[in-house]
Amino acid sequence: MSVKTLENQTALLQQQEQQLRDAVSLALEIAQKAGAAAEVGVTKSGGLSVSTRLKDIENVEFNNDGALGISVYLGQQKGNASTSDLSPEAIRNTVEAALAIAKYTSPDDCAGLADKALMAFDAPDLDLYHAADIDVDRAVQLALETENAALAFDKRIVNSEGASFNAHTGVRVYGNSHGMLQSYLSSRYSLSCSVIAAHDDQLERDYEYTVSRDMNALEKAQWVGENAARKTLARLQPQKIATQQAPVIFLNDVATGLISHLAAAISGGSLYRKASFLLDHLGKQVLPDWFHISEKPHLIGRLASTPFDSEGVRTQDLEIIRQGILQTYLLTSYSGRKLGMQSTGHAGGIHNWLVQPNSSGKLTALLREMGRGLLVTEVMGQGVNLVTGDYSRGAAGFWVENGEIQYPVAEITIAGRLQDMLRNIVAVGDDIEHRSNIQTGSILLENLKISGN
């Protein structure tokens, strides 16, 4: 890898960053001269995506995307417009379009920029950008190595849905009429593989992936391929089980989805619309008294780290759940005003939720603690009602007896109410899933209804 090449890549991206900052400054200047408050955001990304299937190159794609979006406020009337053309004339036309729209919108007493006191005027450097010397040949090689490792793992691996490698870098710039203008560079690299295994006439599929902001921190191609094969083989010859109530473990990457329903339920948009099963639960018990979730937006180099949200509000460490009690809602400036509260820096989503484990010994120990029940490794369908908390989804996984996996199961449905599911969590393992904005281990629930035969 050439140090000079990496330095050139970084220099070019920094040059683009300055050009985008200039574009944002121009848009703000034009809006302010027209008597409007404004906020402008630009994201620009570029990169390479390569996919292979059955040892042949299937796709090579170069990406270069981005746009400037502006929101203007004439009093409490708001107008939005965007452009991918960053020439001065195009920016001026875009601002004028936003101003024209604002004149015809109804006033909204909750509209406006986030409070100046909350701005990230001194945004920290979170080390989110790592240059990598990757060309098409190297990207193809990685994808092929991954798929070859999976196909060679076992003769029962009979087909492939392909392997893919992605490398993307980007620039994010945000500015507003409070005088804030901040930007940062970012990178993201991933390698994935999905294969198909056969037993008699029955086929099963599964996948594996690795992702990081630092190319050097990715798992090896062989690990990705062999893990994809291993997980696929484990699903062969699934059995059906009888309808029953039983303890259930959500494997760590599935458990992130369970916690994401909690995040959605305490988001300001759901709350002010009264579309949440956790309405009016601030300061109340929603999880067991040992359960803790903290948010750490400034962890160095993490996938979900960010110095400020999409409204320029500085992100900060927060306690989300402490001893099972809901400590905060997740608010934007708009939803905060709707609820008579202040933005919590969550315009654009959550940032590094850390679910504290209370069980050690990885998944093996959690299986022993459960004894008999269902290990869920995949959920399907959209059967989640955030208003009522009703939960019903298709699932697949493994049946467990005496703390050990016995056989795969498929064609089942798991059902419950999210408010009960959260309160009935028995344990969180220390097999932490780090590839998600929610970092949790596997989660053991006391029981769920399982619909089978």
Side-chain angles (χ1 to χ4, degrees):
M1 182 178 295
S2 165
V3 173
K4 188 170 181 60
T5 300
L6 298 184
E7 289 175 348
N8 289 342
Q9 283 184 10
T10 303
L12 286 170
L13 210 57
Q14 289 172 336
Q15 182 181 0
Q16 186 178 65
E17 179 182 19
Q18 186 56 54
Q19 291 169 347
L20 296 177
R21 289 173 68 98
D22 292 343
V24 169
S25 296
L26 176 60
L28 290 171
E29 181 184 343
I30 295 168
Q32 287 173 302
K33 283 182 177 177
E39 58 182 338
V40 183
V42 182
T43 55
K44 193 85 172 175
S45 65
L48 170 66
S49 298
V50 168
S51 62
T52 62
R53 183 171 181 271
L54 296 176
K55 304 182 181 181
D56 287 329
I57 300 171
E58 190 169 59
N59 188 57
V60 176
E61 183 176 313
F62 291 93
N63 313 104
N64 188 11
D65 302 313
L68 177 148
I70 182 166
S71 296
V72 299
Y73 300 93
L74 294 171
Q76 292 177 316
Q77 294 172 279
K78 179 181 179 181
N80 297 316
S82 64
T83 178
S84 57
D85 181 351
L86 299 184
S87 67
E89 183 181 359
I91 291 173
R92 181 174 298 279
N93 290 339
T94 303
V95 175
E96 289 174 353
L99 290 166
I101 292 168
K103 291 174 183 176
Y104 292 98
T105 59
S106 300
D108 186 335
D109 59 5
C110 293
L113 300 176
D115 296 345
K116 184 174 182 178
L118 302 178
M119 292 294 105
F121 290 112
D122 297 309
D125 180 1
L126 302 180
D127 194 28
L128 304 181
Y129 171 70
H130 294 263
D133 187 10
I134 294 292
D135 58 16
V136 173
D137 290 342
R138 178 60 178 146
V140 168
Q141 181 187 358
L142 285 168
L144 287 174
E145 284 179 13
T146 305
E147 191 178 33
N148 287 341
L151 293 171
F153 187 77
D154 190 288
K155 64 182 181 181
R156 291 171 293 173
I157 302 294
V158 297
N159 207 337
S160 169
E161 292 190 339
S164 64
F165 173 80
N166 296 278
H168 288 89
T169 58
V171 182
R172 181 181 176 196
V173 182
Y174 175 87
N176 64 30
S177 302
H178 290 319
M180 174 166 169
L181 180 61
Q182 291 287 338
S183 59
Y184 60 86
L185 309 181
S186 65
S187 58
R188 186 182 182 92
Y189 306 92
S190 65
L191 184 61
S192 63
C193 183
S194 177
V195 289
I196 297 168
H199 178 83
D200 295 333
D201 293 330
Q202 187 181 58
L203 301 175
E204 294 290 339
R205 64 168 291 279
D206 213 322
Y207 70 98
E208 186 59 271
Y209 73 100
T210 177
V211 59
S212 177
R213 293 194 181 276
D214 185 350
M215 175 74 186
N216 296 319
L218 292 179
E219 298 285 354
K220 300 298 184 186
Q222 184 173 353
W223 179 91
V224 176
E226 290 184 353
N227 251 29
R230 192 176 289 112
K231 289 166 69 174
T232 303
L233 292 168
R235 297 175 67 129
L236 286 174
Q237 296 179 269
Q239 300 182 31
K240 294 183 179 180
I241 54 177
T243 295
Q244 60 190 286
Q245 293 264 356
V248 170
I249 292 174
F250 285 77
L251 191 63
N252 54 13
D253 59 348
V254 180
T256 62
L258 178 62
I259 301 300
S260 74
H261 300 318
L262 167 67
I266 62 173
S267 294
S270 298
L271 294 166
Y272 80 74
R273 294 185 182 95
K274 302 188 183 303
S276 169
F277 68 92
L278 291 180
L279 195 64
D280 300 322
H281 274 67
L282 189 63
K284 296 181 180 178
Q285 194 89 28
V286 296
L287 283 142
D289 59 12
W290 51 265
F291 203 102
H292 307 292
I293 301 177
S294 55
E295 183 174 65
K296 305 281 188 180
H298 296 169
L299 294 178
I300 298 299
R302 296 289 184 90
L303 289 165
S305 295
T306 184
F308 51 87
D309 75 357
S310 59
E311 294 181 315
V313 174
R314 63 178 176 269
T315 51
Q316 58 187 319
D317 290 356
L318 287 174
E319 295 297 311
I320 307 299
I321 302 290
R322 180 55 46 185
Q323 296 179 329
I325 296 171
L326 180 61
Q327 304 293 312
T328 182
Y329 291 145
L330 311 178
L331 304 175
T332 64
S333 60
Y334 186 84
S335 62
R337 290 167 189 147
K338 280 284 191 181
L339 295 168
M341 304 173 78
Q342 184 173 272
S343 169
T344 56
H346 286 97
I350 61 176
H351 328 287
N352 295 322
W353 274 24
L354 310 182
V355 180
Q356 185 174 316
N358 73 330
S359 175
S360 60
K362 307 298 182 184
L363 180 61
T364 303
L366 212 57
L367 292 171
R368 284 198 299 267
E369 184 172 350
M370 179 172 70
R372 176 182 181 276
L374 176 67
L375 169 63
V376 174
T377 59
E378 182 182 16
V379 289
M380 296 151 275
Q382 305 297 319
V384 180
N385 187 326
L386 282 180
V387 180
T388 63
D390 291 341
Y391 182 100
S392 179
R393 302 187 73 183
F398 299 89
W399 188 251
V400 177
E401 296 277 0
N402 300 316
E404 294 186 357
I405 291 173
Q406 300 299 309
Y407 50 82
V409 296
E411 298 181 29
I412 57 174
T413 300
I414 53 175
R417 297 173 71 240
L418 282 167
Q419 46 269 66
D420 298 331
M421 292 165 68
L422 294 173
R423 291 294 294 268
N424 291 333
I425 292 176
V426 175
V428 177
D430 60 356
D431 54 334
I432 307 298
E433 168 61 80
H434 290 290
R435 299 170 295 185
S436 170
N437 58 0
I438 296 171
Q439 298 175 29
T440 178
S442 299
I443 291 179
L444 170 59
L445 278 67
E446 185 175 0
N447 69 76
L448 275 182
K449 182 179 181 181
I450 304 168
S451 298
N453 287 337

